[in-house]
Amino acid sequence: MVPFLHRCEKHSPGAASELLREYLVTLAKGDLRLPLKIFQHSKPDLQQKIIPDQDQLMATVLECIYSCGPSNQLPLCYGILDCLPQRGPGPAPFLLPDGLVCLVNRQISWHLVLASNGKLLAAVQDQCVEIRSAKDDFTSVIGKCQVPKDPKPQWRRVAWSYDCTLLAYAESMGTVRVFDLMGSELFVIAPASSFAGDLSCAIPGLIFLEYKASAQWLAELLVINYRGELRSYLVSVETNQSYQESHSFSFSSHYPHGISTAIYHPAHSTHAGCGRRSDSSDFWEGTRSWQVCPTVVVLDDVHPLDGEMYGTFKHLLVVHPPPPCWGHTEDLSCVKRGLHAEALKIFKSVS
């Protein structure tokens, strides 16, 4: 196999790595024994490696583990993880629930996102985002945002600003690009940390908020990854100031295994999210609503919606002092049933 890959690489640079990746991922769907052998011969301490590039090794390892179906392959998964290079300081990648990964991977790779005014449409394609106008029934393209090819296009996310003048685009690795209506890239927000193939760095929550505290900033952009890490950025279209981080928050104390989705209800300034708190599918946090709070909030017995009892949880919230902190809203009835449609759909699918 290795000589064949070398010949392919000479004929077409880059072909060998892609062929090997596809081959290993295909095998991993049913049996991890051969992929394990390949990864064992690609360890960092070996002089001659089948997969010399460590980023490619990490990406292929994670993709193989995500693709594996049989439950009896768990010992081989741990053996494969032992083949990865030792990491330096920083947060470690973690695996998302299998049901969530399967659900997102089965979605189509392109997206259609309508602006809140109903007059603009963002059509996310392979390497561009087209901006279309309702003036001609969305026939013509008024702006085209060029974006790099994404290895996991189903994990991308797009959001319009509240005034429909900006468009945010999140890649599967967590990088966020902000464009104007002409398709010009205004700035790029790099993730705090990301690892090749680590889908927990992808963004389920990309939300623009109106910002009134200062005329210096046009809007506030919330970026929430699947780990449950929230970062808030103040956004400006001025040339000398593009964005500035405002604050950060982690939902990990409530969702230690990450979140499944995050959406926003503008009428009540309320966010909803759902996730899992245990390895067991019987212990789900369900759908919760959150708000930015100026003070500490204490809540009792928060239930999932729709009358379906996935668990009752009694807790004392620990929130940060201002600038802004996050806490549960005391009255979940303020979050309308339609707000939870997407959250409940994903929540029930992965449970």
Side-chain angles (χ1 to χ4, degrees), residues 19 51 96 102 118 148 184 192 233 235 257 261 273-274 299 306 309 333:
L19 285 172
I51 305 177
L96 296 175
C102 291
S184 301
Y233 299 93
V235 173
H257 294 271
T261 191
C274 67
L299 286 180
D306 276 8
M309 295 302 298
S333 64

Side-chain angles (χ1 to χ4, degrees), residues 48-91:
Q48 292 188 341
K49 311 175 184 67
I50 297 180
I51 305 177
D53 185 270
Q54 297 303 294
D55 287 340
Q56 181 192 349
L57 174 64
M58 293 183 67
T60 307
V61 161
L62 289 173
E63 192 167 0
C64 285
I65 292 177
Y66 278 128
S67 302
C68 183
S71 58
N72 62 355
Q73 301 287 297
L74 184 60
L76 296 177
C77 290
Y78 286 118
I80 288 176
L81 291 174
D82 289 338
C83 300
L84 293 177
Q86 294 295 321
R87 297 187 60 257

Side-chain angles (χ1 to χ4, degrees), residues 149-296:
K149 185 176 179 62
D150 199 299
K152 294 288 184 180
Q154 295 90 342
W155 294 80
R156 299 178 295 177
R157 182 74 61 169
V158 172
W160 287 97
S161 62
Y162 71 96
D163 60 355
C164 307
T165 60
L166 298 176
L167 183 71
Y169 167 87
E171 302 172 4
S172 64
M173 290 296 293
T175 299
V176 177
R177 303 174 185 273
V178 176
F179 300 89
D180 62 17
L181 295 184
M182 300 301 294
S184 301
E185 185 178 278
L186 302 178
F187 52 86
V188 178
I189 303 175
S193 61
S194 64
F195 311 97
D198 184 7
L199 295 175
S200 67
C201 298
I203 308 298
L206 190 63
I207 303 165
F208 272 106
L209 305 178
E210 186 176 4
Y211 189 76
K212 299 179 179 180
S214 171
Q216 178 183 356
W217 304 103
L218 177 65
E220 180 180 3
L221 177 61
L222 299 182
V223 180
I224 310 171
N225 63 22
Y226 280 97
R227 293 172 174 267
E229 299 168 345
L230 177 148
R231 292 187 180 275
S232 166
Y233 299 93
L234 302 181
V235 173
S236 172
V237 295
E238 300 295 333
T239 56
N240 58 339
Q241 284 186 319
S242 53
Y243 71 93
Q244 173 183 297
E245 184 172 340
S246 173
H247 64 276
S248 61
F249 182 79
S250 176
F251 298 96
S252 60
S253 60
H254 300 282
Y255 303 125
H257 294 271
I259 64 173
S260 302
T261 191
I263 50 180
Y264 178 67
H265 193 291
H268 300 285
S269 301
T270 305
H271 302 260
C274 67
R276 184 171 71 171
R277 73 182 180 105
S278 170
D279 288 326
S280 170
S281 60
D282 296 331
F283 293 94
W284 286 82
E285 286 289 86
T287 304
R288 286 181 159 189
S289 63
W290 298 79
Q291 280 184 328
V292 180
C293 304
T295 58
V296 174

